[in-house]
Amino acid sequence: MKVLFWLNTFLPDLGGIQTFTADLMPHLTGQGHELVMIADHGRKKRPPFSYHGEVPVHTFNMIRPVFCKDLAGIVKARKGIEKVIKEFPTDLIHKHTGGPE
């Protein structure tokens, strides 16, 4: 199964869902599932692309543009997210967000 995880932030920003997801992903990939993650840059400013183990992690500036009413920033994040979704057609989107993203 192809699963896209969508979190408001990811490690190194710490929180319950970040830790839970980081622990869950190796178990899912070990069972043969393909994973990809989308997250906001977070407070620690993750790079735009990295890996957590073997899982690709794409980060976008999603939250700040919404709060700042930055339409260009919102459009830029949306285009990046759409590109990831197009390149990684999923069976499931596992979304854990608690904000405007």
Side-chain angles (χ1 to χ4, degrees), residues 1-4 32-36 87-93:
M1 180 180 290
K2 295 176 99 174
V3 181
L4 180 135
H33 300 289
E34 294 179 60
L35 310 177
V36 69
E87 291 174 357
F88 186 80
T90 63
D91 298 307
L92 174 71
I93 296 177

Side-chain angles (χ1 to χ4, degrees), residues 37 39 41 45-50 57-60:
M37 175 172 293
H41 285 295
K45 285 292 189 188
R46 290 183 60 92
F49 181 77
S50 61
V57 179
H58 301 267
T59 57
F60 302 96

Side-chain angles (χ1 to χ4, degrees), residues 5 8 15 22 30 39 48 52-53 57 69 77-78 84 93 96:
F5 279 87
N8 56 352
H52 179 77
V57 179
K69 299 178 182 173
R78 180 179 172 158
V84 172
I93 296 177
H96 280 280

Side-chain angles (χ1 to χ4, degrees), residues 1 6 15 21 25 48-49 55 59 61 66 76-77 80 83-84 88 90 98:
M1 180 180 290
W6 187 329
T21 303
M25 289 192 304
F49 181 77
V55 178
T59 57
N61 190 9
V66 172
K76 182 179 179 182
K83 183 178 182 218
V84 172
F88 186 80
T90 63

